[in-house]
């Protein structure tokens, strides 16, 4: 069965707190949704705000291969004639092939929010749909608050649908606007509407009870042939039905045709692309598309997945363009480490005893507060050192970091770091915005005197977490650092009661990782050059 | 109907990527879960790692009012006798009143992952359950992969449950371990198991298809009287069933007894508390407990909600301890502040102009990265200062913080802080485990010279978050500090590019809050006494 996918990321999705797209963003998202193979793209509510009006104007030249663009609005004003209604005019002026209008189902809303009679509301629905149909549009009728309305007054709720049907609406969509309807109830109501209405039906679910995906699927099982939702479930309050979960369930688990099996592998990319443009961190734990969706941590799980992925994976991650990951933590055993090692090209086969050493060392360090799950750079160093493949060519010595606010109120941070490189002592001093900044800068300044390639790396992220935080400032802290050069980036970790010591550990690992990956090719710089002046790169 | 709530945040929850609790965190979470009214708290897998072993040892002295502590593990090893099995021994040595063991249901897993015969697996289940029962434990049997196993071989899957039942298991819990089962299928299978098994049944659902909450609810509708899940849905891959959604659905929408209606209002607090300890940003869009769950943005929604909240809210936010928020308008800013002020007993009625000043100042500071939602101590000071009710009796002057590692490898941090107290300059120096510790200690040492009551306060929590973290160590940091005396505790905030400056701001507010709440009763200490020696209290 073909189930039409109706995306409202650009309209309902932008009602979500923290989600806001520029017009250029909206155009880029529309193209991406078209490539993904959705059937309808709801672009906005023309007339409600200038951004949406501009979008529809610029969207006229958008070349969509498959999707049909939709303008969204309400039925006409209670005291307007459909032909003269400003809202319907704006919808027609958007010049989209499809128009969706929502109308009132719930008697409470008709009298309280709309301020009109139940009879007049039916006339508004009919007149609005008929007017849009007379202008050649495909018309989708969204029955707002359908399930709450049906509970309050089932006969009237059904009447509103039949009014839209009589006026020629192409689709009737039942909305769980407040997101409070339970799945079993929604399925029952959907089935009884299906018996009463001949037009194709759709579902529009909100996630306020964490049931939006389940409710969308239940509606399809009761005959819905259109599902409305958003990428990543963005939307007002708790969001809309997440199309990134609905689509693979329809395609892979129910055997329906939604976007087509071959385009399913674009899903993960699309999900992350939309998150980037919305400037919202991509949800790690999102089903099907999240970075953690196929990540295995427990030791038992890992060894089973290595024998047969179907033991702990409900679908193949590649179907949706995602991939399997194995995490390392103190819950894990030998098999996680082996998997990680293989991934990094570290070979333990000839030295099984060393593997035990590494596993024991990781458990011990994690007990102290280290975390290697994210810090793969430090993990790699630990393995290579255990195997005798790497030894640091420098030893850090005395260091000193001072921050002061002087009598003029000026804040200053300065760090001095020394290192012993093959018997020679070198030292450098640097200032920074804060003590960590100064320390980072002094360390890289001292080491680039000896190793030229250190000049090519820079910090890209810095995270700090207080462990056992109820010990307050005497507690340990864990620092995670991201470092990049032109080709790659890596993450390292440090733990101490002293935040500067923890930072230095992570910084030291970051430099060692760079030296390790250069494999000795990192040319030694002349030892006696003066302190190289460089801009504050971070 | 009573539905038992089984929390596995401390075991399955910690399998989630990015979730990791210290032993002290786990103990604090257990107490919080007990206060919330959950029936079972699964603490970990003793023997699998040192952290869980330590947890169960320290948990023996934990005073739980309602919840029963649970140790988790597997059925005994295929080649062990139950009495001699290391895993079962570790479970008994945890000395918990309840033990949960999982066993294999799916024939594929029995032969592939466990490497034994179908018949032997049944014996392992029976022997393991019987052994634990013989030691007086309440035994919960988790049927791993139940739904997948039932699909592959329904007769055998059922046999495994009956084996556990015959051996005396108190509960039989059906697990959707891979999270791939659709709600309609799960409901059907659950109903047929219910007809075959007499013991009370439970459900353990994972969220890989975004259906974990729906599946848990569907199971209860088919007779489950125990739901296993985690706070905020933390857990391996895409997480477990989110108890923060399951519980209110059971209580409010289905009329069952889960934790009791009166404790439901602790849900939002518990959810945020657990997120804080896990140091994971609390999900804004989480149903029932998220900051955005009852936030209204669209203009139509806002005006309707102001007429009647039920128009766009499926439940009253206060039921779960959450609150309504109206986004966008300055009006909402004012009413929030007024609401907070009333809560704190600060009176703006006679001085409306001052309220505008406070609202504008808060917006400005929040734009800089301050956050007053958690830092009510700093918020209260800001209001009282705006009203002219409080002026700090001291001004901090020059300070200096130095950390060094000397040539013997010894790490030392020392801070010197000066303050002007009514024209007199005082100064003190202190050492600490790290620079923040030293700074805190020096500040309180200098101020207790002037204000005796400062000696009675201590730091109880310290958190730091890097804002705009992609600027790395040159980015701003926000520091949140909890301070307590014998009667109360309060939280203050500081923001700067320099972590020590941000810490000092928060520490300074913490002392001012103490002086404010003493209302001038804090007796001045003699000004010229020497530096008082005191133990490192933090």
């Amino acid at each position: 069965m073909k189930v039409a996918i109706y995306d409202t990321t650009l309209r309902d999705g932008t009602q979500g707190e923290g989600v806001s797209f520029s017009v250029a963003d909206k155009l880029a998202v529309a193209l991406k949704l078209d490539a993904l193979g959705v059937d309808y793209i709801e672009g906005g509510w023309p007339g409600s705000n200038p951004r949406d009006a501009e979008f529809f104007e610029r969207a006229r030249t958008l070349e969509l291969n498959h999707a049909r663009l939709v303008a969204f609005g309400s039925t006409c004003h209670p005291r307007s004639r459909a032909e003269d209604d400003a809202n319907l005019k704006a919808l027609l002026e958007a010049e989209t092939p499809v128009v969706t209008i929502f109308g009132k189902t719930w008697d409470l809303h008709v009298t309280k929010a709309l301020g009109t009679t139940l009879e007049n509301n039916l006339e508004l629905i009919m007149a609005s749909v008929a007017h849009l149909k007379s202008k050649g549009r495909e018309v989708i009728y969204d029955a707002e608050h359908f399930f709450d309305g049906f509970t309050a007054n089932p006969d009237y709720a059904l009447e509103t649908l039949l009014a839209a049907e009589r006026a020629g609406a192409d689709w009737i969509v039942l909305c769980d606007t407040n997101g409070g309807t339970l799945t079993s109830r929604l399925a029952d109501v959907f089935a009884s509407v299906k018996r009463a209405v001949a037009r194709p039906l759709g579902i529009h679910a909100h996630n306020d009870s964490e049931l939006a995906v389940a409710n969308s699927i239940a509606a399809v099982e009761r005959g819905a042939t259109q599902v409305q939702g958003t990428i990543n479930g963005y939307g007002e309050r708790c969001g809309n039905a997440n199309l990134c979960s609905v689509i693979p369930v329809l395609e892979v688990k129910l055997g329906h045709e939604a976007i087509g099996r071959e385009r399913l592998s674009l899903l993960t990319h699309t999900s992350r692309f939309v998150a980037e443009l919305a400037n919202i961190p991509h949800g790690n734990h999102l089903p099907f598309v999240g970075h953690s969706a196929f990540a295995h941590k427990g030791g038992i799980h890992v060894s089973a997945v290595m024998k047969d992925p179907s033991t702990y994976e409900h679908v193949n991650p590649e179907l949706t363009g995602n991939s399997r990951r194995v995490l390392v933590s103190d819950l894990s055993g030998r098999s996680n480490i082996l998997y990680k090692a293989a991934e990094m090209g570290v070979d333990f086969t000839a030295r099984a005893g060393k593997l035990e050493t590494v596993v024991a060392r990781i458990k011990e360090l994690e007990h102290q507060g280290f975390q290697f799950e994210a810090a793969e750079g430090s993990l790699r160093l630990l393995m290579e050192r255990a195997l005798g493949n790497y030894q640091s060519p420098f030893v850090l010595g005395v260091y000193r970091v001072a921050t002061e606010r002087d009598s003029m109120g000026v804040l200053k941070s300065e760090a001095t770091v020394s290192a012993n490189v093959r018997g020679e002592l070198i030292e450098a001093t640097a200032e920074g915005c804060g003590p960590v900044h100064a320390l980072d800068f002094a360390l890289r300044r001292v080491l680039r005197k000896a190793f030229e390639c250190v000049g090519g790396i820079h910090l890209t992220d810095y995270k700090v977490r207080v462990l056992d935080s109820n010990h307050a400032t005497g507690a340990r802290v864990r620092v995670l650092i991201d470092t990049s050069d032109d080709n790659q980036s890596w993450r390292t970790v440090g733990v101490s009661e002293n935040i500067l010591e923890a930072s230095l550990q992570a910084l030291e690992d970051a430099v060692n990782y760079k030296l390790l990956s250069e494999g000795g090719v990192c040319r030694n710089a002349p030892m006696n050059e003066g302190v190289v002046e460089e801009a504050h790169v971070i």
Side-chain angles (χ1 to χ4, degrees), chain A:
Chain A
M1 184 174 85
K2 164 65 186 172
V3 178
I5 299 298
Y6 182 109
D7 181 281
T8 177
T9 306
L10 299 178
R11 204 271 308 168
D12 228 358
T14 62
Q15 303 266 26
E17 193 172 359
V19 177
S20 106
F21 294 113
S22 67
V23 173
D25 289 340
K26 290 182 85 165
L27 293 165
V29 169
L31 284 175
K32 201 59 88 170
L33 290 169
D34 181 51
L36 179 64
V38 310
D39 301 290
Y40 297 95
I41 299 172
E42 192 176 88
W45 186 334
S48 79
N49 66 74
R51 191 179 301 178
D52 284 10
E54 187 189 338
F55 168 78
F56 282 109
E57 203 171 308
R58 290 176 58 184
R60 279 174 207 154
T61 56
L62 212 57
E63 286 183 20
L64 301 180
N65 286 314
H66 170 78
R68 312 191 81 197
L69 204 60
V70 187
F72 175 88
S74 70
T75 52
C76 68
H77 192 277
R79 281 172 301 280
S80 296
R81 285 161 21 113
E83 309 79 272
D84 308 326
D85 186 71
N87 171 55
L88 295 185
K89 264 202 181 116
L91 284 171
L92 290 167
E93 283 163 7
E95 292 184 13
T96 55
V98 189
V99 171
T100 295
I101 52 169
F102 73 93
K104 299 289 183 194
T105 317
W106 193 353
D107 51 11
L108 166 86
H109 271 255
V110 174
T111 53
K112 269 206 183 177
L114 201 58
T116 188
T117 64
L118 298 186
E119 189 50 43
N120 189 40
N121 180 49
L122 296 178
E123 284 160 18
L124 294 176
I125 295 169
M126 273 193 290
S128 304
V129 172
H131 180 62
L132 295 169
K133 283 307 297 176
S134 77
K135 300 293 179 185
R137 300 299 192 273
E138 178 179 346
V139 176
I140 299 176
Y141 177 72
D142 271 14
E144 197 194 22
H145 286 115
F146 182 78
F147 299 92
D148 296 314
F150 190 88
T151 299
N153 187 342
D155 292 340
Y156 183 72
L158 216 48
E159 273 301 313
T160 64
L161 304 187
L162 296 172
E165 184 171 56
R166 274 196 301 275
D170 298 283
W171 292 89
I172 310 270
V173 177
L174 311 187
C175 304
D176 185 30
T177 307
N178 291 5
T181 305
L182 300 189
T183 311
S184 53
R185 166 77 181 161
L186 184 135
D188 289 347
V189 172
F190 208 98
S192 59
V193 170
K194 183 71 190 159
R195 289 190 291 273
V197 174
R199 291 277 161 172
L201 294 178
I203 180 75
H204 176 110
H206 279 265
N207 205 33
D208 299 71
S209 306
E210 212 172 327
L211 298 172
V213 170
N215 287 354
S216 303
I217 299 301
V220 171
E221 290 174 332
R222 297 304 184 289
T225 49
Q226 179 185 124
V227 177
Q228 300 192 347
T230 61
I231 297 296
N232 302 330
Y234 296 144
E236 179 136 27
R237 304 186 312 271
C238 309
N240 288 55
N242 180 3
L243 290 179
C244 296
S245 295
V246 169
I247 291 170
V249 168
L250 292 177
E251 290 271 355
V252 181
K253 291 177 186 276
L254 289 170
H256 295 315
E257 198 198 330
I259 57 174
R261 252 329 236 280
E262 70 288 352
R263 278 190 291 258
L264 203 54
S265 62
L266 299 172
L267 202 63
T268 296
H269 168 68
T270 308
S271 162
R272 293 176 188 178
F273 179 86
V274 172
E276 277 300 316
L277 289 207
N279 203 11
I280 287 180
H282 191 252
N284 268 343
H285 300 280
L286 284 171
F288 299 99
V289 298
H291 194 56
S292 304
F294 300 94
H296 303 283
K297 190 169 173 182
I300 287 188
H301 287 205
V302 173
S303 66
V305 161
M306 284 168 82
K307 288 181 198 158
D308 178 352
S310 78
T311 52
Y312 287 97
E313 284 174 1
H314 67 126
V315 295
N316 182 339
E318 284 159 23
L319 277 177
T320 52
N322 207 340
S323 56
R324 178 175 309 131
R325 287 167 59 236
V326 168
L327 311 176
V328 174
S329 82
D330 69 355
L331 299 174
S332 64
R334 298 173 73 251
S335 45
N336 293 42
I337 306 288
L338 269 181
Y339 186 93
K340 269 290 168 216
E343 217 178 49
M344 293 173 172
V346 180
D347 188 6
F348 278 100
T349 44
R351 286 167 284 185
K354 296 291 183 194
L355 182 64
E356 301 305 326
T357 315
V358 167
V359 170
R361 178 84 182 127
I362 288 172
K363 289 202 175 194
E364 171 56 27
L365 287 170
E366 293 209 330
H367 190 61
Q368 288 172 31
F370 281 80
Q371 254 271 29
F372 293 98
E373 188 174 287
E376 297 190 340
S378 291
L379 179 64
R380 170 96 192 266
L381 279 169
L382 195 149
M383 289 181 186
E384 301 279 13
R385 280 172 166 150
L387 288 169
N389 295 340
Y390 181 74
Q391 204 180 354
S392 177
F394 64 90
V395 179
L396 293 185
V398 168
Y399 68 86
R400 181 175 171 78
V401 191
T403 291
E404 68 175 62
R405 184 164 69 192
D406 66 18
S407 57
M408 308 298 287
V410 175
L411 209 59
K412 201 174 118 177
S413 286
E414 187 184 270
T416 301
V417 172
S418 68
N420 185 318
V421 183
R422 300 185 204 95
E424 190 148 357
L425 195 73
I426 43 180
E427 190 180 282
T429 295
E431 289 188 16
C433 304
V436 180
H437 189 196
L439 187 63
D440 163 45
F441 198 46
L443 175 72
R444 288 187 300 118
R445 188 174 272 182
V446 77
L447 290 175
R448 68 176 285 189
K449 290 189 196 180
F451 309 102
E452 204 169 16
C453 62
V454 172
I457 66 175
H458 52 279
L459 259 70
T460 48
D461 201 355
Y462 176 85
K463 289 198 181 68
V464 53
R465 174 174 299 186
V466 180
L467 309 169
D468 289 321
S469 63
N470 48 351
H471 294 145
T473 46
R476 282 165 307 163
V477 293
R478 177 168 66 230
V479 167
L480 265 181
I481 281 177
D482 276 32
T483 309
S484 301
D485 60 17
D486 291 340
N487 301 313
Q488 55 172 342
S489 71
W490 56 97
R491 211 181 274 119
T492 54
V493 61
V495 172
S496 169
E497 279 192 349
N498 186 313
I499 189 174
L500 299 176
E501 173 68 16
S503 302
L504 191 65
Q505 287 171 10
L507 290 166
E508 190 179 351
D509 263 13
V511 171
N512 273 312
Y513 186 90
K514 171 68 175 175
L515 296 176
L516 167 71
S517 62
E518 294 288 325
V521 194
C522 185
R523 193 165 60 76
N524 285 0
M527 293 290 289
N528 293 319
E529 74 175 30
V531 170
V532 181
E533 283 312 315
E534 61 177 61
H536 275 198
V537 290
I538 49 170

